Amino acid sequence: MARARYSALITDLQGATSPDSIHRQKHYRDARGRIIGVAAPEIYKVTKPRNWKYKPAAGEELANQKLWGKACYLTAKALETEEGYNYWQKRFEAQLYATRGSKPDPFATIDPKTKCRKRYARFDAFVRAIIRNELKQKS
């Protein structure tokens, strides 16, 4: 990955600046639309993209893709109803840093750098990750 130094003149840059480079910066918002976090600016260099026709996923990689797909499907189903949405929203807000006395969710992924459970800033990512980890534990 390339490194970039942003000057004070450039506050936000997204999209492709050349055929092989993509810039982005994530903004995390709560349910009310307030920004609760901003990620560091990122630059991705696209080099040697994988040819899925000649080298498809197999084994553990394929199993992980299928588990992730099932988690995404179950997330969409869980958030369709108001009851399901409210359940996940309460669980999400209970693990936010901004909530007083909060703790990470017991099914959150363990961060290899800090050896602690992750706290999610995006609601949809939180729900998908927790459902995936619950499915992984069951199997």
Side-chain angles (χ1 to χ4, degrees):
M1 184 185 327
R3 294 184 183 170
R5 185 171 287 172
Y6 288 89
S7 67
L9 298 173
I10 301 173
T11 57
D12 199 10
L13 176 66
Q14 288 191 335
T17 56
S18 63
D20 63 343
S21 163
I22 297 170
H23 298 259
R24 77 173 183 187
Q25 184 175 22
K26 297 178 184 177
H27 298 274
Y28 303 112
R29 299 176 187 271
D30 65 2
R32 295 180 196 94
R34 295 178 299 184
I35 294 176
I36 56 174
V38 178
E42 301 170 332
I43 299 175
Y44 291 100
K45 288 280 189 185
V46 181
T47 58
K48 298 182 183 176
R50 182 176 181 171
N51 188 338
W52 290 94
K53 184 177 178 182
Y54 294 110
K55 190 176 178 186
E60 195 174 309
E61 182 184 15
L62 181 63
N64 188 38
Q65 287 178 359
K66 287 183 178 182
L67 185 67
W68 188 253
K70 187 175 181 180
C72 291
Y73 173 77
L74 292 174
T75 298
K77 286 290 185 190
L79 298 180
E80 279 180 356
T81 64
E82 189 175 334
E83 176 183 305
Y85 183 86
N86 290 337
Y87 167 77
W88 284 105
Q89 186 67 33
K90 284 181 185 175
R91 200 165 163 182
F92 172 70
E93 289 176 359
Q95 61 90 41
L96 285 174
Y97 281 113
T99 306
R100 184 175 230 181
S102 67
K103 293 181 179 156
D105 195 89
F107 283 100
T109 307
I110 296 175
D111 187 1
K113 291 180 184 175
T114 62
K115 306 290 189 248
C116 297
R117 296 204 179 272
K118 291 184 181 180
R119 292 187 184 221
Y120 295 86
R122 279 185 48 193
F123 175 64
D124 59 332
F126 168 77
V127 177
R128 277 194 304 269
I130 299 301
I131 289 177
R132 179 193 174 274
N133 290 342
E134 288 174 352
L135 288 172
K136 195 173 183 181
Q137 188 178 23
K138 287 180 185 176
S139 60

